[in-house]
Amino acid sequence: MKLIRFTIGKMAADKQFRSLYPGFEVVFRLPQEESPEALDAFNPFCLAGLNGTGKSNVLEALAAIFFHLECCVARFRPQSFKTFDPAQCHPCAFTLEYLIQRSGERPAVENFDRVLITKEEGCPPRMQVKPFTGDAMDYEEISLKPYEENGFPKAAPGKAYLPDIVIGYSSGENEILSIPFLKSRLINYDKYRQDYFSKYRYERPENSLIYIDEGMSQAVLLSCLLFEEQGSTLQFLIRELKLLDIVSFRMNINVQLMANLPATSPETAPVTAHIASLLEEIKKSATCWFEDPRKEMTVLTLDFLVNKETRTAFRKLFRNSFDCFRFFQMLYELNACFLDETMKREVYQSKGIYTQGKLPQPDPQQDVFHFLDFLILKEVRAGEPPKELLLKEFSDGEHQFLHTMGMCLMLKEERTLLLLDEPETHFNPGWRSRFIQILDESIDAGGGNNLQKEIVLTSHSPFILSDCRPEKVLIFEKDGQGKATVAKAWQKGWNTYGMSVNLLTARVFKQEKTIGEYAQVKVEKYRNLLKSGVPLE
């Protein structure tokens, strides 16, 4: 997909979305001015500016909007989410315009549709669509209401015009960005449970939102190492991280009984009932496994010594690395099984900053799924034999690298929007200077197509800005009234591509000093002493 424009609409003052006021607009691109080659090129959008200028708020608003749209079109809404009102969204008024590939057709500009979504305060959103190359054609209204066909629930027609995947990632504590993704996890869990009682076959999570945190990053890495090829697609991981292979891993599944069963249910059921047959196949792929039956729970432990046969077995069960990841994602989402309906209802209705704090942390007996003993073969020092390390022994920067690059590697042909909030925070200067290049390599290595993907990231790194074209760098500032403003770098006359990082630091981040403040004060002190003729001690 490709973003065109995002505008905050007219709304009451008390409903303003963060620092984004009515009339605030980000024009990502003017598609009529971009050639097909430009649309197909790897050119992520970089939102830059001082802290508090609103750049992260744009990511938060996009995540909230796509969550709301997913809820509008979804064929399933859990009982505790029945209060969902399509007319109530935060932000409550907006216009969003983007291009998206028609599902099932080959990636090409002529197969794009132009999607216009508008929402006014107090009204449900509207979706209008027309072919991208059909400028003279009128927009067609597309329904965002789910329906039934032969007694089976169906997602609204508008689902076909939403991204297949919306990825969220934040290196810091940006809880507002994570809120819609957290709600999506709870909805997914309730759907798995309902699918079992409705006797629907499990395929993959229906909701498009995925948040990459510590648990999900383990699933990303494992899926990549089981499916991707060391001689080709994994080359950049081997080069940058000296990560050679996965040695072994353990999956621990507490097969407990479902909580809060429907009143009409005469039976108890294990929380993994909807994937019982798939788990049996996974057990056959394990090097060894053990079941420990306990009261109201069976603890299933599966150990995998990874070799050629292990990879072959997983590749028979899943189509590709992303399909495998979605299975692990589902297992992680089962960890919500201990939450009661009252707690979930509070989270669904929450608009505040402290949503995460509303969720109690499960004890080990309540956790349905986690990985253990995740051993990686890694070159630690040049010239020495590689060592087997636990994944938890990796540095913050290495984990951050795996979060972003591993996910891009797996996306393949999925129509994807990636929302990355300061993804380079823990990187060393070398990785920061190569971040955009490596991101490009990871998408290319996965065999994906840039027409299918849009990347929007925030950053305080001049190295990243120096790798981005000026029409893709959006500079955020506050005006005299404290309102967020945004302009592209080229509109300011700045050619960020290849610009000196010192010059970018001065222009974008208003910092002209090239040494630390403490040292600067000392230098000035000694300079003044020398000028005054006072001897230095």
Side-chain angles (χ1 to χ4, degrees), residues 417-447:
L417 173 63
L418 292 101
L419 305 173
L420 310 177
D421 193 26
E422 298 184 28
E424 83 295 338
T425 305
H426 299 293
F427 284 178
N428 60 57
W431 275 357
R432 288 183 185 183
S433 67
R434 300 197 303 279
F435 177 80
I436 297 297
Q437 175 192 346
I438 299 170
L439 198 62
D440 185 17
E441 284 184 42
S442 64
I443 292 177
D444 187 58

Side-chain angles (χ1 to χ4, degrees), residues 515-529:
I515 64 175
E517 186 70 26
Y518 182 76
Q520 181 74 30
V521 170
K522 293 289 185 182
V523 169
E524 290 297 327
K525 175 183 176 182
Y526 290 128
R527 182 180 287 124
N528 292 333
L529 288 174

Side-chain angles (χ1 to χ4, degrees), residues 349-412:
Q349 295 174 356
S350 172
K351 297 184 180 70
I353 296 175
Y354 302 106
T355 300
Q356 186 73 43
K358 292 179 179 292
L359 293 178
Q361 293 301 309
D363 62 42
Q365 297 301 316
Q366 292 173 315
D367 223 1
V368 172
F369 173 75
H370 54 267
F371 287 114
L372 288 168
D373 299 336
F374 208 119
L375 280 175
I376 301 293
L377 189 65
K378 189 177 187 294
E379 180 185 313
V380 179
R381 294 183 183 85
E384 295 184 7
K387 292 184 178 180
E388 295 180 3
L389 299 177
L390 289 170
L391 184 58
K392 286 187 174 291
E393 296 181 74
F394 283 37
S395 69
D396 287 342
E398 289 172 318
H399 279 288
Q400 196 168 8
F401 187 100
L402 293 170
H403 289 164
T404 51
M405 306 306 172
M407 198 71 221
C408 288
L409 177 61
M410 294 194 309
L411 290 171
K412 310 294 182 191

